[in-house]
Amino acid sequence: MNGPQAITKEERRAIAREIADRLKQVYGDKIKAIGLYGSMARGTDGPYSDTEMLCVLNTEDEPVDFSHEWAAGAWKAEVNVYSEEELLQYARTVEDTWPLSHGAFLTALPLYDPDGFFDDLIAAVQSPDEADFRESIRGILVGEMFEFAGKWRNANAQGPRTYLPYLAMETAQYAAMLIGLHHRTTYSTGAKVIPEAMTLPDRPEGFDALAQLVLSGELSDPDRVFLTCEAFWNGLQAWAEERDYGFTTEQIPF
């Protein structure tokens, strides 16, 4: 097999059209829409990129959410199959990874869309209000950032300090998600989450230093990694307090 192997954009699009034809054969009149997402939809796919597709079904209120995923030797494909309302409902939700996961819906490229479903999908992504984003931000502050701070302090105090680089990378990634949520801005691709976050205004103090450290790959000095994470944590707490993203409580809340 020795895959993945390099194929041209034209070959990859021919594969996508073949898959779309097969989906129409399998699901027939249930097909609502078919489209590309990811790098192929954006036109940025490289020679080793996989084919990522959405297949939306009209199943008369029966929820559908599963994937076909396979490797064909030289290439790999993934087809995410949803019922119409299931996908729209997911598009309306705000989760920790919303800036990345939902950005894919905004740039989806229709291959078959007689009823304009992908316009409805974009509208669904844009529908959440400020309260939804604030709740998700607080979730990251408590569920990830506070926990990461405890982990890097443990690693620094009692080891293994070799865990610090991984924690720095995870912290930078989730911090980028938090910044995207704060601005209600999506990212183009997972490879650019941190650099694109650095272009947004109103970032916590210390984020840029952490991001640059992670992007440089110079993570072999545990003291530098620890101190950079600590500086970011201090800046993040001040940033959250100034914007009323309160995430601590004085008592057990139940």
Side-chain angles (χ1 to χ4, degrees):
M1 183 172 66
N2 198 30
Q5 297 174 16
I7 62 175
T8 66
K9 289 178 181 287
E10 291 74 20
E11 289 172 323
R12 194 173 297 105
R13 277 147 187 75
I15 291 167
R17 291 192 293 270
E18 181 180 352
I19 294 171
D21 289 342
R22 178 58 179 160
L23 289 168
K24 292 175 184 177
Q25 292 174 5
V26 172
Y27 296 110
D29 293 341
K30 291 183 178 181
I31 295 284
K32 178 76 174 180
I34 301 171
L36 295 169
Y37 71 94
S39 61
M40 285 186 66
R42 298 189 304 272
T44 59
D45 49 309
Y48 301 97
S49 295
D50 55 356
T51 299
E52 298 172 308
M53 301 177 66
L54 293 170
C55 176
V56 186
L57 304 180
N58 184 350
T59 58
E60 298 181 353
D61 299 326
E62 178 186 351
V64 173
D65 181 355
F66 64 90
S67 294
H68 296 295
E69 191 168 8
W70 70 97
W75 51 268
K76 172 184 172 292
E78 178 177 357
V79 180
N80 302 124
V81 183
Y82 295 95
S83 55
E84 178 180 3
E85 189 50 43
E86 193 77 7
L87 180 53
L88 290 176
Q89 182 59 40
Y90 175 62
R92 296 184 191 106
T93 63
V94 180
E95 58 184 2
D96 291 356
T97 59
W98 179 92
L100 181 60
S101 62
H102 285 51
F105 299 145
L106 296 178
T107 58
L109 179 65
L111 296 178
Y112 173 79
D113 189 16
D115 300 321
F117 171 81
F118 284 99
D119 289 336
D120 295 337
L121 185 61
I122 291 172
V125 172
Q126 297 171 337
S127 67
D129 59 22
E130 181 181 357
D132 296 316
F133 285 92
R134 294 184 73 85
E135 181 179 354
S136 189
I137 287 170
R138 290 190 181 100
I140 291 180
L141 289 168
V142 176
E144 274 75 37
M145 294 304 178
F146 201 98
E147 189 169 331
F148 287 151
K151 287 181 177 180
W152 75 59
R153 287 178 178 178
N154 272 339
N156 189 64
Q158 61 187 33
R161 299 185 86 200
T162 51
Y163 191 28
L164 289 170
Y166 172 80
L167 290 171
M169 291 187 289
E170 284 285 283
T171 300
Q173 183 81 359
Y174 272 97
M177 294 299 174
L178 189 152
I179 293 167
L181 287 166
H182 176 65
H183 291 286
R184 303 191 196 183
T185 297
T186 59
Y187 299 128
S188 62
T189 177
K192 297 183 179 179
V193 164
I194 295 175
E196 289 179 1
M198 294 176 70
T199 69
L200 296 175
D202 194 14
R203 302 181 300 277
E205 187 173 350
F207 171 73
D208 286 9
L210 175 62
Q212 289 164 357
L213 181 66
V214 168
L215 293 174
S216 73
E218 296 176 357
L219 297 165
S220 60
D221 182 345
D223 290 332
R224 182 185 179 191
V225 173
F226 175 73
L227 291 174
T228 302
C229 288
E230 282 289 308
F232 165 70
W233 178 235
N234 291 335
L236 178 63
Q237 291 179 88
W239 179 89
E241 183 177 352
E242 290 170 2
R243 287 146 193 81
D244 196 28
Y245 292 134
F247 63 98
T248 60
T249 179
E250 294 181 358
Q251 59 185 4
I252 297 172
F254 57 86

